[in-house]
Amino acid sequence: MIAAINAERIKLASTRSPYWCLGVVVVLGLGIAVLLGAIAGGGYGDPGETDSLTGQYLTGVNQFGVAVLAIMAVLGITTEYRFGTIRPTFAAVPRRPRVLIAKVVVFGALTFVVTAIVCLVALVLAQALAGYGIALGGPDTVRQLWGTPVFATLCALIGLAVGALVRHSAGAVAIVLVWMLALERIISVLPRVGEYIVSFLPFLNGWNFLSGGSDTFNWNAYGSLLYFAVFTLALLGVAVAVTNARDA
């Protein structure tokens, strides 16, 4: 298993797409935080709202960056099918579930670490520019600082699962982006049925956790996080089973 993880780490570090994706996440995360902090510092914010504004300062990460990280994970497996490197990978590691588990470990760890660093730096910069002082101890701030990396990691793992199931880069990326950014939001506002379905939409549950919970859902914020995590693990389980059953 260690050898498989090292192999995935080397493959990740030797391709360009992860660097571009991570660069975009850094630019979005820090850029939007700096912009919002500067606006707040211009007299458009309330010093008493420092903790409640944390989610807005991290919009570049928890709204847009997570989509880029999911795309990075999709490409991490679909490009192997595209260029035919998946065959020697499965030949070197005959137990295919180990390959996907190794990818989960590598992409999950990278996503969590990078997101945690970007969130911390973005929040410090935004609060400094806002001129209200740096406060990292509020309940909303603490939840955002550890919750956003967890949410981003789960999004990346869903991207990995979809990539393993679809095996085509363009198709998998389209599915993930439409699902994450549009489909669930549209379903949630459908007349008569939207209010009953919203509690079972995975990405909206993730954002519900980050926002602190809503009466629209059948459970609280941490229930939403648990549901999203269970859904992600279930989808990964399906991806592992399907990959193990079909031809490379």
Side-chain angles (χ1 to χ4, degrees), residues 4 6 19 80 82 88 118 125 129 133 148 152 165-166 182 194 218 234 243 248:
N6 285 332
Y19 295 101
E80 290 214 54
R82 178 184 177 186
V118 172
L125 288 175
L129 288 171
T148 301
L165 290 170
V166 177
N218 294 334
T243 301

Side-chain angles (χ1 to χ4, degrees), residues 4 6 17 29 58 60 66 70 73 80 85 99 101 114 122 125 130 133 141 143-144 151 157 168 173 180 196-197 206:
N6 285 332
S17 60
L58 298 182
V66 291
E80 290 214 54
T85 57
V99 175
I101 293 173
V114 170
L125 288 175
T141 299
R143 187 182 64 254
Q144 293 283 346
F151 174 60
L157 296 186
H168 187 275
V173 168
M180 179 186 298
Y196 301 105
I197 298 176

Side-chain angles (χ1 to χ4, degrees), residues 44-61:
Y44 296 97
D46 181 354
E49 296 178 348
T50 302
D51 186 55
S52 62
L53 288 174
T54 299
Q56 297 181 33
Y57 290 150
L58 298 182
T59 299
V61 181

Side-chain angles (χ1 to χ4, degrees), residues 36 45 60 145 150 202 226:
L36 294 178
L145 284 176
V150 171
L226 178 61

Side-chain angles (χ1 to χ4, degrees), residues 40-199:
Y44 296 97
D46 181 354
E49 296 178 348
T50 302
D51 186 55
S52 62
L53 288 174
T54 299
Q56 297 181 33
Y57 290 150
L58 298 182
T59 299
V61 181
N62 59 33
Q63 295 291 327
F64 306 111
V66 291
V68 179
L69 293 167
I71 292 173
M72 180 185 72
V74 167
L75 297 177
I77 188 165
T78 56
T79 51
E80 290 214 54
Y81 284 101
R82 178 184 177 186
F83 294 108
T85 57
I86 197 68
R87 292 181 181 275
T89 296
F90 285 153
V93 186
R95 296 183 179 180
R96 295 183 181 184
R98 288 191 176 184
V99 175
L100 290 185
I101 293 173
K103 288 183 180 294
V104 166
V105 172
V106 171
F107 281 93
L110 177 64
T111 299
F112 185 89
V113 171
V114 170
T115 305
I117 294 173
V118 172
C119 285
L120 180 60
V121 175
L123 188 56
V124 169
L125 288 175
Q127 291 185 353
L129 288 171
Y132 303 149
I134 298 174
L136 303 178
D140 189 61
T141 299
V142 171
R143 187 182 64 254
Q144 293 283 346
L145 284 176
W146 71 262
T148 301
V150 171
F151 174 60
T153 301
L154 294 174
C155 290
L157 296 186
I158 285 181
L160 191 64
V162 172
L165 290 170
V166 177
R167 302 198 296 184
H168 187 275
S169 297
V173 168
I175 289 172
V176 170
L177 289 182
V178 171
W179 181 10
M180 179 186 298
L181 302 178
L183 182 61
E184 291 194 4
R185 299 181 189 274
I186 294 173
I187 293 176
S188 67
V189 297
L190 290 177
R192 299 183 181 180
V193 298
E195 60 182 312
Y196 301 105
I197 298 176
V198 66
S199 294

Side-chain angles (χ1 to χ4, degrees), residues 205-220:
N205 269 279
W207 279 307
N208 182 57
F209 160 70
L210 291 180
S211 66
S214 169
D215 294 337
T216 307
F217 290 77
N218 294 334
W219 33 70
N220 61 19

Side-chain angles (χ1 to χ4, degrees), residues 1-20:
M1 192 66 213
I2 299 299
I5 293 174
N6 285 332
E8 293 302 326
R9 177 183 56 80
I10 293 171
K11 285 190 285 187
L12 179 67
S14 61
T15 54
R16 294 182 180 179
S17 60
Y19 295 101
W20 282 104

